[in-house]
Amino acid sequence: MSTRLWILLMWAFLLRSVQAAPQGFQITIGHSANLVRFHSEATIESFDGTTRQVGGRIMVDPQAPQVAPTAYFQVDLASLDTGMSLRNKHMRENHLHTELHPQATFVMSKLAGPVPAMKAGVATRLMAVGDFTVHGVTLPRTLPVDVTWHPDGSQTAARKAGPVLHVVCRFEVVLADHGIPRPQFLFMKVAESMEVTVDLWATAG
């Protein structure tokens, strides 16, 4: 191999490495576009709990997401609103015990399986591997996440110029796995698991 060709290959490698450096994306607590919802089936009627008090940070290169991606998310459980103040109090004090365990968190360590590059404006299904903690119990989880990369988020729900990520994740939480007592309100017994939907916008910075 000639010296000239070797130098060109090295420059190409270095340029690719720089371009593949993960970029930081911030999730702003309380942003109106961000929502965490849990859905619970009950014997008489089902109910939902919601909060916008969710924050976190994502490190990823949208065009090379396989290169050292990490993410951290945290949800303020004491802010969950089920639409009924007495039920909110009951959930917080008797089941989630938010005075002792105020937050639920997910810490992603890697992406599993095939990790395709993201295309602008197109949702990409990724499998996030990490640790999910709620009620003081941490369990390993692999969660399906749909991520949409927008090079310019000024016209999205994020209302922010520059790159943004739209992250949507749906998964089930089995209450017994985390030592959460199964809620019962009067004659309404709640299901053994809850469906969780996370819908977030993360802005570059």
Side-chain angles (χ1 to χ4, degrees), residues 28-38 48-55 74-83 88 92 96 102 104 196-200:
T28 303
I29 297 175
H31 193 289
S32 60
N34 295 334
L35 184 68
V36 173
R37 179 190 305 274
F38 77 80
D48 292 344
T50 62
T51 182
R52 299 189 188 280
Q53 299 303 305
V54 53
Q74 66 179 42
V75 181
D76 176 17
L77 297 178
S79 66
L80 283 170
D81 182 13
T82 67
N88 290 346
R92 294 167 186 166
L96 295 176
V196 178
T197 301
V198 179
D199 192 331
L200 307 174

Side-chain angles (χ1 to χ4, degrees), residues 141-182:
R141 295 291 303 263
T142 299
L143 304 178
V145 184
D146 293 318
V147 183
T148 306
W149 167 53
H150 298 272
D152 179 19
S154 58
Q155 300 301 312
T156 69
R159 301 192 304 275
K160 182 74 177 290
V164 302
L165 297 177
H166 184 202
V167 179
V168 179
C169 179
R170 296 179 179 86
F171 62 100
E172 183 180 44
V173 176
V174 178
L175 303 182
D177 287 350
H178 293 273
I180 301 173
R182 186 178 176 187

Side-chain angles (χ1 to χ4, degrees), residues 17-164:
S17 298
V18 170
Q19 290 174 336
Q23 181 177 9
F25 294 85
Q26 191 73 25
I27 299 165
T28 303
I29 297 175
H31 193 289
S32 60
N34 295 334
L35 184 68
V36 173
R37 179 190 305 274
F38 77 80
H39 175 78
S40 182
E41 293 290 337
T43 51
I44 299 176
E45 64 176 355
S46 60
F47 67 94
D48 292 344
T50 62
T51 182
R52 299 189 188 280
Q53 299 303 305
V54 53
R57 187 163 179 80
I58 303 169
M59 295 294 294
V60 68
D61 179 351
Q63 295 181 301
Q66 76 280 4
V67 179
T70 59
Y72 172 77
F73 307 91
Q74 66 179 42
V75 181
D76 176 17
L77 297 178
S79 66
L80 283 170
D81 182 13
T82 67
M84 184 183 299
S85 59
L86 182 59
R87 186 165 57 198
N88 290 346
K89 186 174 186 293
H90 193 67
M91 287 287 294
R92 294 167 186 166
E93 296 180 1
N94 300 330
H95 300 283
L96 295 176
H97 304 117
T98 55
E99 286 192 5
L100 293 174
H101 313 293
Q103 295 179 339
T105 63
F106 180 69
V107 181
M108 188 194 84
S109 57
K110 64 179 181 179
L111 295 172
V115 185
M118 301 180 195
K119 297 180 181 179
V122 179
T124 300
R125 171 60 61 94
L126 300 172
M127 301 302 294
V129 179
D131 292 326
F132 175 66
T133 302
V134 66
H135 201 244
V137 177
T138 301
L139 295 175
R141 295 291 303 263
T142 299
L143 304 178
V145 184
D146 293 318
V147 183
T148 306
W149 167 53
H150 298 272
D152 179 19
S154 58
Q155 300 301 312
T156 69
R159 301 192 304 275
K160 182 74 177 290
V164 302

